[in-house]
Amino acid sequence: RTAPPGAAVISFMDAGAIGYYSELPLIDFGRLNDRYLVDPGLDVAAIKDYFFDQGADYVVMSSAAADAIEYTDEAMAIIADQRFARYVRVGVWANRVHYPYWQHVFRQVSIPLQQ
């Protein structure tokens, strides 16, 4: 609701509901909707560079923790990269099935928060 129209989103992972409810363009780093990411020969460095090359306005990152990102090696490499400093966390939510994971929402610092 607070994203500007047409904002681009990266989901790491769990693209189904996020894309559906946000109605925004979305790249799923779970490899469900992007031709580049389905290449089995990609290493973590290539995936990380591809992530930042997209310049997403918002990032939704799954995590095993509510207060930090604890996820795959790829996710950890992305958030450890100095380029991730251009994103600020704007929300965290749990799931409704009581499975131990949370979704952390980040927006680019340059994106104004909509009311």
Side-chain angles (χ1 to χ4, degrees), residues 58-113:
Y58 288 84
V59 174
V60 180
M61 185 79 69
S62 296
S63 177
D67 58 350
I69 301 298
E70 294 178 15
Y71 207 49
T72 65
D73 290 344
E74 293 169 3
M76 300 308 291
I78 288 168
I79 65 159
D81 190 290
Q82 65 185 15
R83 295 172 286 182
F84 200 76
R86 70 178 78 153
Y87 292 95
V88 61
R89 187 183 345 247
V90 294
V92 177
W93 78 89
N95 63 78
R96 295 182 181 162
V97 294
H98 308 292
Y99 189 76
Y101 79 88
W102 289 260
Q103 299 292 341
H104 297 251
V105 180
F106 298 85
R107 71 170 166 79
Q108 267 203 54
V109 174
S110 63
I111 304 296
L113 190 59

Side-chain angles (χ1 to χ4, degrees), residues 7-11 14-16 18-20 22 24-29 33 60:
V9 179
I10 285 178
S11 175
D14 200 41
I18 294 164
Y20 178 78
S22 73
L24 295 171
L26 181 132
I27 296 175
D28 172 27
F29 271 67
N33 71 348
V60 180

Side-chain angles (χ1 to χ4, degrees), residues 13-48:
M13 305 185 188
D14 200 41
I18 294 164
Y20 178 78
Y21 287 112
S22 73
E23 298 179 353
L24 295 171
L26 181 132
I27 296 175
D28 172 27
F29 271 67
R31 294 162 177 70
L32 294 176
N33 71 348
D34 188 274
R35 289 183 185 266
Y36 179 79
L37 291 171
V38 298
D39 181 346
L42 295 175
D43 62 8
V44 172
I47 292 167
K48 183 173 67 167

